[in-house]
Amino acid sequence: MRIVFLGAPGSGKGTQAQRLMADFNLPQVSTGDLLRAAVADKTELGKRAKVAMDAGELVTDDIVLGIIAERLSQDDCSDGFILDGYPRNLQQAKDLEPVLAEIGQSLDAAVLLDVDMDILMKRLTGRRTCSKTGKLLNIYFSPQEKLDAVTAAGGELIQRADDNEETISNRLSVYREQTEPLVDYYREAGLLKTVAGEGEIEEIYTRLRETLGLG
Ligand code: AMP
């Protein structure tokens, strides 16, 4: 199975991709995660990407193309993958085609996780990661006992550097202007599948699996 996940920042792409990855043994290829790793390692590429990331802008197409081509050519992607956060604009969607042709693969579906704007804002401003386990939580939506458990275990609730309000509004407008046109692009290619992305994570996951014909 080769899937692209579309959806605004905060639509739950990462969470749902992680579920599919665990249940179907598919690698989740997230350009955001790969870029954050490069920034943390202070690589040359990470240094170039950081300024755009901190501002909520897109990193240049050539940087992400290099990252994605390298990642998709690794062995664990040969039986399928979930692309989370790539492509982010029309140029990247076009860039992806020769990369897939090179490894003899093509996409099975582009999944759009559809979520209202006000819910997106709360999901993004409330998002935290446990410093010990890497588990994703939300100060507005996670049960209080789960939030308390993090601190009780000596962990901290960390907010991503690009999850502040200014950067978030910028990321949402970048999404509307640059990424949303991909919905039509994949609809015209006959690959678009839309999943309502509101409600409990489990509920959304069930809808997602049904939409993908995964039972
Ligand atoms: P994400 O974790 O997917 O929300 O990505 C975090 C940030 O990484 C984005 O705001 C962009 O600055 C950058 N980024 C991630 N994926 C891409 C991409 N495909 N193209 C350009 N920039 C990206």
Side-chain angles (χ1 to χ4, degrees), residues 19 128-130 133 135-139 141-157 200-202:
R19 295 295 311 263
R128 302 288 185 278
T129 309
C130 169
T133 60
K135 198 173 155 54
L136 285 174
L137 294 159
N138 188 295
I139 55 168
F141 300 118
S142 300
Q144 191 57 45
E145 59 274 18
K146 287 202 176 167
L147 296 168
D148 292 344
V150 169
T151 25
E156 271 182 77
L157 289 169
E200 294 297 318
I201 291 175
E202 272 318 307

Side-chain angles (χ1 to χ4, degrees), residues 9-10 13 30-33 35-36 49-50 52-61 64 68 84-89 92 124 127 160 162-163 167 171 174:
K13 296 189 302 290
S30 155
T31 39
D33 286 349
L35 287 166
R36 277 186 287 279
K50 188 175 185 311
M53 290 175 78
D54 284 349
E57 304 284 350
L58 292 187
V59 173
T60 59
D61 294 339
V64 279
I68 207 84
D84 164 19
Y86 190 92
R88 278 285 231 281
N89 60 27
Q92 292 182 10
L124 290 164
R127 182 155 73 176
R160 259 170 56 171
D162 58 352
D163 273 348
T167 306
R171 285 162 64 207
V174 166

Side-chain angles (χ1 to χ4, degrees), residues 24-98:
F24 297 93
N25 203 20
L26 289 168
Q28 170 203 11
V29 177
S30 155
T31 39
D33 286 349
L34 293 167
L35 287 166
R36 277 186 287 279
V39 171
D41 291 345
K42 297 194 166 61
T43 65
E44 208 39 55
L45 188 147
K47 285 182 203 153
R48 283 168 62 199
K50 188 175 185 311
V51 182
M53 290 175 78
D54 284 349
E57 304 284 350
L58 292 187
V59 173
T60 59
D61 294 339
D62 63 319
I63 291 185
V64 279
L65 176 61
I67 289 186
I68 207 84
E70 212 267 321
R71 182 66 189 89
L72 290 180
S73 68
Q74 289 169 11
D75 282 350
D76 64 332
C77 290
S78 60
D79 289 332
F81 49 78
I82 303 164
L83 282 183
D84 164 19
Y86 190 92
R88 278 285 231 281
N89 60 27
L90 280 173
Q91 184 57 49
Q92 292 182 10
K94 290 178 184 150
D95 288 344
L96 179 61
E97 287 171 11

